[in-house]
Amino acid sequence: MTGDLSEREIAQALIASLDLTDLSDRCTREDVAALCDRAATSEGDVAAICIWPRFVAFARPRLKSGIRIATVVNFPEGGEDVEATLAETRQALADGADEIDLVVSYRRLAADEGFVDDQVRRVKEACGEARLKAILETGELAEPVLIGRAAKAALAGGADFLKTSTGKVAVNATPEAAEILLRAIADHGGAVGFKPAGGIRTYEDAKAYRDLANRLCGDGYATPDRFRLGASAVLADLLAVAGGAARGPGLEGY
């Protein structure tokens, strides 16, 4: 039972669910190499690194075996050129990506929900065995009804995860948006994963999303196969809690 875990064990579980991310505009190969090194921590490996597509082939041989590479497509704008997104997806997979984080065409949702459903379906087909995370940009959708419709469309299209945000807008992951997505996942059978992203800075932030996921989708839901955290700044705090060290201010980052 998750309620029996110590703070240290919860922090370790959160590290194991982390998509350690660098999607900064100035990201370099040196930054990606450092990210690969950080991904194998003293308290266990993270689930994945999440990087720009142009760095996937560079990162693949540098990353410890067992840590996945996630990359982003149609990012961050969420445009409507599905053919271009499919080409981007296929290239990322050929370069060695294990997971694809797709920004859906969320601006299209209000007028044409079917476009998002079809977009997700086609990208999922291109992914084959690779996981597809549908980024809904919930902070931009803002209205609970629209967030719910986005979740429904992505689930209908076959997304393996629902992800809140790109981390590139004013409002990213929030507990309110997370609850809408998790309820949609639970109503869909509870097998699809959930990834809050953007603005997660502390152990308490991360734990709150994990607790919410387990409460709404069932105790034990929040394993790395179904629960991820899109962040970089939170790792330092999680390591401090897991290692019993003094906690400092969070690092700047995604």
Side-chain angles (χ1 to χ4, degrees):
M1 299 290 288
T2 58
D4 297 330
L5 297 179
S6 66
E7 269 199 344
R8 180 175 188 267
E9 290 169 325
I10 293 170
Q12 289 173 331
L14 291 167
I15 290 168
S17 294
L18 184 61
D19 282 4
L20 188 64
T21 300
D22 192 337
L23 295 170
S24 59
D25 294 338
R26 296 182 179 180
C27 185
T28 65
R29 284 190 170 200
E30 289 73 21
D31 295 327
V32 172
L35 197 74
C36 291
D37 291 341
R38 291 177 63 208
T41 85
S42 59
E43 298 295 337
D45 297 342
V46 304
I49 62 169
C50 187
I51 54 177
W52 291 105
R54 63 183 180 271
F55 295 123
V56 170
F58 171 80
R60 180 78 277 167
R62 289 165 175 77
L63 194 62
K64 180 181 174 182
S65 176
I67 301 174
R68 300 173 182 89
I69 295 180
T71 195
V72 290
V73 299
N74 205 28
F75 186 96
E77 293 84 3
E80 298 181 11
D81 189 340
V82 178
E83 293 301 326
T85 301
L86 290 170
E88 192 177 16
T89 299
R90 294 183 184 112
Q91 185 61 58
L93 295 171
D95 286 344
D98 303 296
E99 301 176 351
I100 299 294
D101 289 26
L102 159 74
V103 185
V104 306
S105 298
Y106 60 91
R107 298 179 189 87
R108 185 80 175 260
L109 189 75
D112 186 4
E113 188 174 311
F115 184 90
V116 173
D117 179 330
D118 183 65
Q119 177 187 42
V120 172
R121 190 179 310 279
R122 293 181 68 190
V123 176
K124 176 57 183 171
E125 288 172 359
C127 282
E129 295 300 313
R131 283 191 179 97
L132 175 63
K133 306 190 196 92
I135 306 174
L136 308 183
E137 204 69 291
T138 54
E140 293 293 282
L141 291 173
E143 297 177 18
V145 170
L146 282 179
I147 296 171
R149 286 176 62 186
K152 179 181 177 181
L155 290 168
D160 299 303
F161 270 74
L162 300 184
K163 178 177 172 180
T164 59
S165 324
T166 61
K168 297 288 189 178
V169 295
V171 177
N172 293 289
T174 67
E176 294 77 15
E179 182 163 351
I180 295 169
L181 301 194
L182 285 163
R183 289 193 184 280
I185 289 168
D187 290 345
H188 194 69
V192 171
F194 168 66
K195 179 178 173 179
I200 301 169
R201 303 289 188 197
T202 67
Y203 165 80
E204 288 78 14
D205 292 338
K207 180 177 181 296
Y209 284 115
R210 182 177 185 274
D211 289 348
L212 184 64
N214 280 327
R215 178 168 65 83
L216 295 178
C217 292
D219 193 35
Y221 166 86
T223 66
D225 280 341
R226 291 180 296 197
F227 177 73
R228 298 288 182 84
L229 298 160
S232 59
V234 73
L235 180 58
D237 201 40
L238 296 180
L239 287 171
V241 174
R247 297 171 66 189
L251 302 175
E252 292 302 319
Y254 174 83

